[in-house]
PDB file of all heavy atoms in Angstrom:
ATOM      1  N   PRO H 290     139.734-111.614 -93.305  1.00  0.00           N
ATOM      2  CA  PRO H 290     138.339-111.848 -92.788  1.00  0.00           C
ATOM      3  C   PRO H 290     138.197-113.069 -91.932  1.00  0.00           C
ATOM      4  O   PRO H 290     139.021-114.003 -92.027  1.00  0.00           O
ATOM      5  CB  PRO H 290     137.606-111.969 -94.118  1.00  0.00           C
ATOM      6  CG  PRO H 290     138.608-112.512 -95.098  1.00  0.00           C
ATOM      7  CD  PRO H 290     139.907-111.938 -94.692  1.00  0.00           C
ATOM      8  N   PRO H 291     137.092-113.090 -91.160  1.00  0.00           N
ATOM      9  CA  PRO H 291     136.790-114.350 -90.386  1.00  0.00           C
ATOM     10  C   PRO H 291     136.328-115.452 -91.327  1.00  0.00           C
ATOM     11  O   PRO H 291     135.722-115.173 -92.359  1.00  0.00           O
ATOM     12  CB  PRO H 291     135.664-113.873 -89.430  1.00  0.00           C
ATOM     13  CG  PRO H 291     135.051-112.712 -90.153  1.00  0.00           C
ATOM     14  CD  PRO H 291     136.132-112.041 -90.984  1.00  0.00           C
ATOM     15  N   ALA H 292     136.634-116.734 -90.974  1.00  0.00           N
ATOM     16  CA  ALA H 292     136.485-117.799 -91.928  1.00  0.00           C
ATOM     17  C   ALA H 292     135.122-118.526 -91.946  1.00  0.00           C
ATOM     18  O   ALA H 292     134.638-118.919 -92.998  1.00  0.00           O
ATOM     19  CB  ALA H 292     137.586-118.822 -91.752  1.00  0.00           C
ATOM     20  N   HIS H 293     134.513-118.671 -90.780  1.00  0.00           N
ATOM     21  CA  HIS H 293     133.414-119.661 -90.672  1.00  0.00           C
ATOM     22  C   HIS H 293     132.281-119.310 -91.652  1.00  0.00           C
ATOM     23  O   HIS H 293     131.897-120.149 -92.494  1.00  0.00           O
ATOM     24  CB  HIS H 293     132.918-119.767 -89.253  1.00  0.00           C
ATOM     25  CG  HIS H 293     131.914-120.824 -89.100  1.00  0.00           C
ATOM     26  ND1 HIS H 293     132.239-122.187 -89.179  1.00  0.00           N
ATOM     27  CD2 HIS H 293     130.597-120.789 -88.792  1.00  0.00           C
ATOM     28  CE1 HIS H 293     131.163-122.910 -89.003  1.00  0.00           C
ATOM     29  NE2 HIS H 293     130.102-122.097 -88.750  1.00  0.00           N
ATOM     30  N   GLY H 294     131.761-118.070 -91.583  1.00  0.00           N
ATOM     31  CA  GLY H 294     130.663-117.710 -92.424  1.00  0.00           C
ATOM     32  C   GLY H 294     131.012-117.791 -93.921  1.00  0.00           C
ATOM     33  O   GLY H 294     130.204-118.189 -94.776  1.00  0.00           O
ATOM     34  N   GLU H 295     132.238-117.378 -94.224  1.00  0.00           N
ATOM     35  CA  GLU H 295     132.673-117.425 -95.612  1.00  0.00           C
ATOM     36  C   GLU H 295     132.640-118.844 -96.143  1.00  0.00           C
ATOM     37  O   GLU H 295     132.301-119.148 -97.276  1.00  0.00           O
ATOM     38  CB  GLU H 295     134.059-116.797 -95.698  1.00  0.00           C
ATOM     39  CG  GLU H 295     134.637-116.871 -97.112  1.00  0.00           C
ATOM     40  CD  GLU H 295     135.920-116.046 -97.282  1.00  0.00           C
ATOM     41  OE1 GLU H 295     136.129-115.121 -96.468  1.00  0.00           O
ATOM     42  OE2 GLU H 295     136.643-116.381 -98.208  1.00  0.00           O
ATOM     43  N   LYS H 296     133.106-119.784 -95.267  1.00  0.00           N
ATOM     44  CA  LYS H 296     133.110-121.223 -95.675  1.00  0.00           C
ATOM     45  C   LYS H 296     131.701-121.744 -95.801  1.00  0.00           C
ATOM     46  O   LYS H 296     131.439-122.587 -96.697  1.00  0.00           O
ATOM     47  CB  LYS H 296     133.956-122.024 -94.718  1.00  0.00           C
ATOM     48  CG  LYS H 296     135.434-121.760 -94.852  1.00  0.00           C
ATOM     49  CD  LYS H 296     136.280-122.678 -94.007  1.00  0.00           C
ATOM     50  CE  LYS H 296     137.748-122.355 -94.215  1.00  0.00           C
ATOM     51  NZ  LYS H 296     138.623-123.032 -93.291  1.00  0.00           N
ATOM     52  N   ILE H 297     130.761-121.242 -94.998  1.00  0.00           N
ATOM     53  CA  ILE H 297     129.404-121.680 -95.142  1.00  0.00           C
ATOM     54  C   ILE H 297     128.863-121.276 -96.523  1.00  0.00           C
ATOM     55  O   ILE H 297     128.275-122.070 -97.285  1.00  0.00           O
ATOM     56  CB  ILE H 297     128.495-121.081 -94.053  1.00  0.00           C
ATOM     57  CG1 ILE H 297     128.876-121.623 -92.681  1.00  0.00           C
ATOM     58  CG2 ILE H 297     127.000-121.339 -94.356  1.00  0.00           C
ATOM     59  CD1 ILE H 297     128.185-120.895 -91.496  1.00  0.00           C
ATOM     60  N   VAL H 298     129.137-120.023 -96.892  1.00  0.00           N
ATOM     61  CA  VAL H 298     128.617-119.466 -98.147  1.00  0.00           C
ATOM     62  C   VAL H 298     129.236-120.264 -99.285  1.00  0.00           C
ATOM     63  O   VAL H 298     128.542-120.733-100.215  1.00  0.00           O
ATOM     64  CB  VAL H 298     128.982-117.976 -98.299  1.00  0.00           C
ATOM     65  CG1 VAL H 298     128.696-117.477 -99.744  1.00  0.00           C
ATOM     66  CG2 VAL H 298     128.141-117.155 -97.311  1.00  0.00           C
ATOM     67  N   THR H 299     130.554-120.515 -99.210  1.00  0.00           N
ATOM     68  CA  THR H 299     131.265-121.167-100.311  1.00  0.00           C
ATOM     69  C   THR H 299     130.734-122.625-100.418  1.00  0.00           C
ATOM     70  O   THR H 299     130.551-123.134-101.550  1.00  0.00           O
ATOM     71  CB  THR H 299     132.755-121.164 -99.980  1.00  0.00           C
ATOM     72  OG1 THR H 299     133.129-119.821 -99.730  1.00  0.00           O
ATOM     73  CG2 THR H 299     133.567-121.632-101.185  1.00  0.00           C
ATOM     74  N   THR H 300     130.447-123.277 -99.287  1.00  0.00           N
ATOM     75  CA  THR H 300     129.963-124.672 -99.287  1.00  0.00           C
ATOM     76  C   THR H 300     128.542-124.708 -99.904  1.00  0.00           C
ATOM     77  O   THR H 300     128.262-125.542-100.756  1.00  0.00           O
ATOM     78  CB  THR H 300     130.006-125.262 -97.873  1.00  0.00           C
ATOM     79  OG1 THR H 300     131.291-125.084 -97.351  1.00  0.00           O
ATOM     80  CG2 THR H 300     129.640-126.740 -97.881  1.00  0.00           C
ATOM     81  N   VAL H 301     127.678-123.796 -99.469  1.00  0.00           N
ATOM     82  CA  VAL H 301     126.304-123.839 -99.942  1.00  0.00           C
ATOM     83  C   VAL H 301     126.216-123.473-101.426  1.00  0.00           C
ATOM     84  O   VAL H 301     125.620-124.245-102.224  1.00  0.00           O
ATOM     85  CB  VAL H 301     125.381-122.884 -99.125  1.00  0.00           C
ATOM     86  CG1 VAL H 301     124.028-122.787 -99.743  1.00  0.00           C
ATOM     87  CG2 VAL H 301     125.281-123.340 -97.679  1.00  0.00           C
ATOM     88  N   LEU H 302     126.844-122.371-101.838  1.00  0.00           N
ATOM     89  CA  LEU H 302     126.724-121.931-103.215  1.00  0.00           C
ATOM     90  C   LEU H 302     127.498-122.860-104.190  1.00  0.00           C
ATOM     91  O   LEU H 302     127.221-122.911-105.345  1.00  0.00           O
ATOM     92  CB  LEU H 302     127.176-120.505-103.365  1.00  0.00           C
ATOM     93  CG  LEU H 302     126.361-119.425-102.615  1.00  0.00           C
ATOM     94  CD1 LEU H 302     126.834-118.044-103.016  1.00  0.00           C
ATOM     95  CD2 LEU H 302     124.902-119.540-102.856  1.00  0.00           C
ATOM     96  N   GLY H 303     128.524-123.530-103.650  1.00  0.00           N
ATOM     97  CA  GLY H 303     129.384-124.336-104.536  1.00  0.00           C
ATOM     98  C   GLY H 303     128.897-125.783-104.662  1.00  0.00           C
ATOM     99  O   GLY H 303     129.464-126.571-105.401  1.00  0.00           O
ATOM    100  N   ASP H 304     127.811-126.159-103.956  1.00  0.00           N
ATOM    101  CA  ASP H 304     127.355-127.539-104.023  1.00  0.00           C
ATOM    102  C   ASP H 304     125.935-127.526-104.664  1.00  0.00           C
ATOM    103  O   ASP H 304     125.063-126.774-104.181  1.00  0.00           O
ATOM    104  CB  ASP H 304     127.284-128.088-102.580  1.00  0.00           C
ATOM    105  CG  ASP H 304     126.741-129.503-102.589  1.00  0.00           C
ATOM    106  OD1 ASP H 304     125.484-129.675-102.509  1.00  0.00           O
ATOM    107  OD2 ASP H 304     127.560-130.439-102.545  1.00  0.00           O
ATOM    108  N   LYS H 305     125.729-128.352-105.653  1.00  0.00           N
ATOM    109  CA  LYS H 305     124.471-128.301-106.416  1.00  0.00           C
ATOM    110  C   LYS H 305     123.234-128.510-105.503  1.00  0.00           C
ATOM    111  O   LYS H 305     122.268-127.768-105.592  1.00  0.00           O
ATOM    112  CB  LYS H 305     124.522-129.395-107.541  1.00  0.00           C
ATOM    113  CG  LYS H 305     123.618-129.120-108.697  1.00  0.00           C
ATOM    114  CD  LYS H 305     123.983-130.071-109.821  1.00  0.00           C
ATOM    115  CE  LYS H 305     122.761-130.718-110.442  1.00  0.00           C
ATOM    116  NZ  LYS H 305     122.134-131.783-109.732  1.00  0.00           N
ATOM    117  N   ASP H 306     123.298-129.548-104.647  1.00  0.00           N
ATOM    118  CA  ASP H 306     122.158-129.859-103.839  1.00  0.00           C
ATOM    119  C   ASP H 306     121.916-128.814-102.735  1.00  0.00           C
ATOM    120  O   ASP H 306     120.754-128.413-102.502  1.00  0.00           O
ATOM    121  CB  ASP H 306     122.354-131.255-103.156  1.00  0.00           C
ATOM    122  CG  ASP H 306     122.383-132.335-104.211  1.00  0.00           C
ATOM    123  OD1 ASP H 306     121.841-132.114-105.328  1.00  0.00           O
ATOM    124  OD2 ASP H 306     122.941-133.436-103.922  1.00  0.00           O
ATOM    125  N   LEU H 307     123.004-128.382-102.138  1.00  0.00           N
ATOM    126  CA  LEU H 307     122.798-127.377-101.068  1.00  0.00           C
ATOM    127  C   LEU H 307     122.315-126.082-101.689  1.00  0.00           C
ATOM    128  O   LEU H 307     121.508-125.365-101.058  1.00  0.00           O
ATOM    129  CB  LEU H 307     124.138-127.132-100.328  1.00  0.00           C
ATOM    130  CG  LEU H 307     124.601-128.287 -99.363  1.00  0.00           C
ATOM    131  CD1 LEU H 307     125.919-127.947 -98.688  1.00  0.00           C
ATOM    132  CD2 LEU H 307     123.496-128.602 -98.349  1.00  0.00           C
ATOM    133  N   ARG H 308     122.826-125.767-102.863  1.00  0.00           N
ATOM    134  CA  ARG H 308     122.395-124.546-103.535  1.00  0.00           C
ATOM    135  C   ARG H 308     120.877-124.597-103.812  1.00  0.00           C
ATOM    136  O   ARG H 308     120.142-123.612-103.632  1.00  0.00           O
ATOM    137  CB  ARG H 308     123.196-124.362-104.780  1.00  0.00           C
ATOM    138  CG  ARG H 308     122.614-123.422-105.804  1.00  0.00           C
ATOM    139  CD  ARG H 308     123.354-122.146-105.953  1.00  0.00           C
ATOM    140  NE  ARG H 308     122.493-121.175-106.652  1.00  0.00           N
ATOM    141  CZ  ARG H 308     122.919-120.093-107.161  1.00  0.00           C
ATOM    142  NH1 ARG H 308     124.197-119.747-106.997  1.00  0.00           N
ATOM    143  NH2 ARG H 308     122.116-119.288-107.798  1.00  0.00           N
ATOM    144  N   ALA H 309     120.456-125.780-104.318  1.00  0.00           N
ATOM    145  CA  ALA H 309     118.986-125.896-104.601  1.00  0.00           C
ATOM    146  C   ALA H 309     118.163-125.785-103.291  1.00  0.00           C
ATOM    147  O   ALA H 309     117.113-125.160-103.294  1.00  0.00           O
ATOM    148  CB  ALA H 309     118.754-127.288-105.285  1.00  0.00           C
ATOM    149  N   GLN H 310     118.667-126.410-102.285  1.00  0.00           N
ATOM    150  CA  GLN H 310     117.978-126.317-100.990  1.00  0.00           C
ATOM    151  C   GLN H 310     117.920-124.846-100.493  1.00  0.00           C
ATOM    152  O   GLN H 310     116.884-124.374-100.030  1.00  0.00           O
ATOM    153  CB  GLN H 310     118.747-127.136 -99.926  1.00  0.00           C
ATOM    154  CG  GLN H 310     117.983-127.277 -98.625  1.00  0.00           C
ATOM    155  CD  GLN H 310     118.727-128.119 -97.643  1.00  0.00           C
ATOM    156  OE1 GLN H 310     119.950-128.340 -97.702  1.00  0.00           O
ATOM    157  NE2 GLN H 310     117.989-128.672 -96.651  1.00  0.00           N
TER     158      GLN H 310
END
Side-chain angles (χ1 to χ4, degrees):
H293 187 66
E295 176 169 338
K296 287 187 179 169
I297 294 171
V298 170
T299 309
T300 307
V301 172
L302 298 187
D304 178 276
K305 203 167 134 286
D306 294 339
L307 289 180
R308 162 110 193 193
Q310 188 179 22

